[in-house]
Amino acid sequence: MSYTHRSDSPSDSPLRSADAAPAALRVGLVGAGPWARTMHARMLAAGPETALAAVWARRPEAARQVAAEYGGVVAGSFEELLDLSEAVAFAVPPAVQAELAVRAVRAGKPVLLEKPLGPDLASARRVADAVAEHGVVSQLVLTKRYHPVTREFLVRARGAEVTGARSCYLHGAFLGGDFATPWRLEQGALLDLGPHLLDLLDTAVGPIATVRSTGDPRRWIELTCEHTNGAVSQASLSGTVRLAAARTRIELYGPDEELVYDTAELDHEECWPVLRHEFAAAVRSGIPGPLDAARGLRLQELMTMAAA
């Protein structure tokens, strides 16, 4: 069975509630690069659950451009951003996020975190430990996890007996353009794309016990995962292949009918309202969802195992 895009009516959206909405959560944004502009700032400013309170970046002019387009103010420092915000979203390289997220958490601010948590396991653990110590809400931007088709696939997968799985996440963004950023070119597909597939395989097939890799993460890397239930899965990752469109696909095999998850026809715009709604709800309730910093640390452990 194949899972692709499904057009839900507006009335089905979790954002279309008849209940009175609380005041918008004021979120400060750290970063003003392409991903900060095209996703974070636009999503947070769209509301109604959130509002873009402020923007801070190492390049003040870039921060001014983002703030002007989406209605936030420019913070003169990271500390000022914290003062202006109820929560903080990060759209910066992993090393920068790992340092500043700890400072935000220590200031008692809920955090919306990109993957990976940090450039290495030690930095990721510092973020997760700080979140646990200070008891703040954290949430990961694992984009595909917020799409209803992904969630339907994972529900079906939990009820299936899986013997083996094949998967891939392939695109050509590292060949040039806005997302061929220094940290991605240096670290390659394992650190950038790996969290998505490892998260989905770990959830759909069963907890991953071991991961081995072969290849070059800057060109093409293959992962072999052994799961605690005895299943084996494969994952192919590359950011340097020329394709008409990015490709993410998971095939689950076993004694029953195969299950296939394919993002070819997914509209990723459906992810942002769900992400925004769930982050605001988690912050207001003080109860994080499953995609929190602890989950980010788990994925970083798996990537570190693969790179060993």
Side-chain angles (χ1 to χ4, degrees):
M1 182 177 295
S2 180
Y3 289 87
T4 54
H5 172 66
R6 181 183 61 187
S7 179
D8 293 325
S9 67
S11 62
D12 294 331
S13 169
L15 304 183
R16 306 283 180 170
S17 171
D19 296 335
L25 179 71
R26 294 180 292 106
V27 185
L29 175 59
V30 179
W35 189 236
R37 292 195 309 271
T38 60
M39 195 287 281
H40 283 270
R42 182 166 63 93
M43 175 190 70
L44 294 169
E49 302 90 348
T50 60
L52 183 63
V55 181
W56 177 79
R58 290 173 293 183
R59 296 180 295 120
E61 180 56 37
R64 280 192 290 272
Q65 291 175 356
V66 174
E69 184 171 359
Y70 293 104
V73 303
V74 178
S77 65
F78 181 67
E79 288 71 23
E80 183 180 356
L81 181 92
L82 296 180
D83 290 340
L84 292 168
S85 309
E86 294 178 85
V88 181
F90 292 87
V92 289
V96 180
Q97 172 174 272
E99 175 193 351
L100 296 179
V102 170
R103 291 168 58 183
V105 167
R106 288 174 177 167
K109 303 297 181 181
V111 287
L112 185 63
L113 300 163
E114 275 294 341
K115 50 76 203 164
L117 285 188
D120 51 41
L121 183 56
S123 61
R125 183 168 287 118
R126 284 193 291 271
V127 175
D129 287 350
V131 168
E133 178 183 354
H134 293 274
V136 302
V137 165
S138 62
Q139 187 167 312
L140 293 175
V141 181
L142 284 169
T143 308
K144 295 170 180 59
R145 280 285 226 124
Y146 299 96
H147 200 287
V149 169
T150 308
R151 293 182 171 186
E152 182 181 353
F153 166 74
L154 293 175
V155 169
R156 293 295 300 270
R158 282 194 287 272
E161 181 182 347
V162 180
T163 303
R166 298 170 55 186
S167 66
C168 68
Y169 192 174
L170 309 170
H171 63 53
F174 299 172
L175 294 173
D178 286 341
F179 295 102
T181 54
W183 80 265
R184 289 185 174 92
L185 297 181
E186 177 184 351
Q187 299 292 337
L190 178 60
L191 207 60
D192 186 35
L193 309 183
H196 292 285
L197 273 192
L198 288 169
D199 169 64
L200 290 170
L201 291 172
D202 188 68
T203 305
V205 180
I208 296 171
T210 64
V211 189
R212 303 188 305 278
S213 69
T214 184
D216 181 350
R218 290 176 293 276
R219 299 180 68 233
W220 185 290
I221 186 169
E222 291 281 340
L223 306 181
T224 299
C225 305
E226 297 182 5
H227 299 255
T228 57
N229 58 11
V232 176
S233 62
Q234 297 285 142
S236 303
L237 302 166
S238 180
T240 57
V241 291
R242 189 73 64 185
L243 296 170
R247 183 175 304 160
T248 306
R249 183 177 173 89
I250 299 174
E251 303 166 1
L252 304 184
Y253 298 99
D256 302 317
E257 181 184 6
E258 69 173 316
L259 292 177
V260 178
Y261 167 76
D262 195 322
T263 66
E265 297 181 22
L266 260 63
D267 180 2
H268 283 78
E269 289 299 314
E270 294 184 36
C271 301
W272 313 137
V274 179
L275 193 163
R276 179 178 62 237
H277 171 78
E278 293 186 356
F279 180 60
V283 172
R284 293 305 189 202
S285 68
I287 303 172
L291 301 179
D292 60 1
R295 182 60 176 169
L297 178 59
R298 160 74 172 161
L299 298 178
Q300 197 100 29
E301 290 170 344
L302 293 174
M303 289 186 292
T304 302
M305 189 186 306

